[in-house]
Amino acid sequence: MSKRTSRKSHDPGKPKGISEREVHDVEEMSSPRTPVIYEVVRRLGDEEMERPVTSLWWSGVAAGLSISFSLLSQAFFEAYLPAAPWRPLVSGFGYCVGFLMVVLGRQQLFTESTITVVLPVLSDLSWQNAWRMTRLWAIVLVANLSGTLFATLFATYSPALTPEIYHGMLTISRGLLALGWWEMVFRGVASGFLIAAMVWMIPSAESAKFWVITLMTYLIAIGGFTHIVAGSMEAYLLVLSGDWQWWQMLLQFFVPVLIGNMVGGTALFALISYAQVMEEI
C-alpha cells in the first residue's frame, strides 16, 4: 500500500532519482529557450526606442569615440610586432578593444540596433514603430560617425600619437583601397550578420560576454569584413591623407558598407530570428 502511494505521489515531470534542489539546479543551468532570448532582445530594442534624443545622441557619440580604439589598438600591434605572416592574426585582437568598450559600456552602436530595434517592429508592424526605428537609426548613425570623425581629427592633428602609431593606422586603413564596391557590400553583409549574432548570443552568455564579443569582432577583423562605424575612422584617415576625396569616401565606402551591414543585420539575421519564434510568441 505504501509503495502504491509513493508511486502516485511521484511527479511525472520530475526525473527519478533527482531531488527538488537538483531540479532547480537543472533549471538554472539550462540555456534559455529561443523565445526567451527573442523577448530579451525585443525588450532591449523597445527600451532603446523610448530613450530621449539627447540620451541617444551622446551615447552614440561615446560609442564612436570608444570604437576608434579598435583601429588604434590594431596600430599598436602593427607598430611593435615583427613583419611576419602571423601578424594579422595577432593584431586582429586589437580590433576587439573598441567593441568591448562599446558593448560592455552599454553605448549606442548603429549595427547593434539593426537587430534590437527591428524585432519590436516585426512583432507589432505599425507606422509609429517604423518611425521610432527610423528615428533611432538616424540619430545613432550620425552620432557614431561624429564620434569617429572627432577621434580621427584628434589622432591626425594632435601630438597624442607617435608617427609610428599613426603610420600603422594609415597602413591598416589603406586596405580599404583594394576593395571594390560590391566587395564592400558583401563584406558588410558578413560583418552585420556577425554583430547581430553577437547581440543575440549575449543574453545567454552571462559571464562569458567578454569572450562572445571578442570572438565575433575578431572574426570581423581577420576576415577583412567592413563595418560602417569602426571602418569610418579608416575612411576619414584616407580622406585626410589624400588617398580619397570626400565624395569617394561616401560613394565607395559609406553607401555600400551601410547597405551591407543593414542587409546582414536586419534582412538576414533579424528576420531569421523572428521566423524562429513567430509561432511561439
Side-chain angles (χ1 to χ4, degrees):
M1 186 76 177
S2 60
K3 289 183 180 179
R4 185 177 302 170
T5 305
S6 64
R7 284 176 185 171
K8 287 182 179 179
S9 62
H10 178 71
D11 182 0
K14 173 185 167 184
K16 293 180 178 179
I18 296 183
S19 67
E20 292 291 341
R21 181 177 180 81
E22 288 170 329
V23 169
H24 176 73
D25 290 340
V26 169
E27 293 174 353
E28 288 290 320
M29 296 173 67
S30 299
S31 298
R33 296 190 309 117
T34 302
V36 175
I37 298 175
Y38 166 86
E39 184 61 18
V40 171
V41 178
R42 188 200 66 79
R43 289 188 182 186
L44 177 62
D46 205 46
E47 291 170 3
E48 289 174 350
M49 290 193 291
E50 288 298 322
R51 298 185 70 186
V53 173
T54 304
S55 299
L56 289 173
W57 171 262
W58 289 113
S59 183
V61 170
L65 292 171
S66 295
I67 212 165
S68 66
F69 283 90
S70 287
L71 180 58
L72 181 61
S73 300
Q74 280 185 290
F76 287 151
F77 284 109
E78 291 288 333
Y80 297 117
L81 286 174
W86 48 263
R87 185 165 70 174
L89 294 176
V90 179
S91 64
F93 284 108
Y95 189 81
C96 308
V97 173
F99 285 92
L100 286 165
M101 294 171 65
V102 169
V103 180
L104 295 181
R106 297 294 303 273
Q107 297 166 355
Q108 289 286 344
L109 184 65
F110 173 76
T111 47
E112 284 188 89
S113 67
T114 57
I115 179 173
T116 53
V117 301
V118 171
L119 295 186
V121 176
L122 291 175
S123 64
D124 182 17
L125 285 172
S126 66
W127 286 110
Q128 181 183 4
N129 275 345
W131 161 248
R132 292 165 69 213
M133 177 182 70
T134 305
R135 164 186 169 273
L136 182 140
W137 275 353
I139 295 169
V140 172
L141 180 59
V142 174
N144 286 169
L145 297 177
S146 299
T148 54
L149 177 59
F150 179 85
T152 306
L153 294 172
F154 183 82
T156 303
Y157 296 114
S158 77
L161 302 180
T162 64
E164 293 79 14
I165 299 300
Y166 184 80
H167 177 73
M169 294 171 65
L170 197 53
T171 299
I172 296 169
S173 301
R174 284 179 173 144
L176 292 176
L177 299 175
L179 300 180
W181 200 89
W182 283 107
E183 285 180 291
M184 291 278 194
V185 172
F186 284 104
R187 293 188 184 208
V189 170
S191 176
F193 191 91
L194 286 170
I195 293 296
M198 178 192 75
V199 174
W200 186 262
M201 293 164 67
I202 282 177
S204 59
E206 297 180 355
S207 60
K209 289 180 182 178
F210 177 92
W211 300 111
V212 169
I213 299 166
T214 300
L215 175 61
M216 293 294 105
T217 54
Y218 178 69
L219 289 176
I220 295 174
I222 64 173
F225 302 138
T226 50
H227 187 273
I228 187 64
V229 182
S232 65
M233 187 172 185
E234 300 174 29
Y236 291 146
L237 281 173
L238 292 176
V239 171
L240 295 179
S241 65
D243 292 281
W244 268 347
Q245 298 296 320
W246 281 103
W247 66 268
Q248 290 177 299
M249 185 269 288
L250 292 173
L251 294 180
Q252 296 183 29
F253 171 80
F254 183 83
V255 172
V257 176
L258 180 62
I259 292 171
N261 284 174
M262 293 187 70
V263 168
T266 299
L268 291 182
F269 199 94
L271 290 177
I272 291 171
S273 301
Y274 178 71
Q276 292 182 73
V277 300
M278 62 183 181
E279 297 296 333
E280 301 177 74
I281 57 175

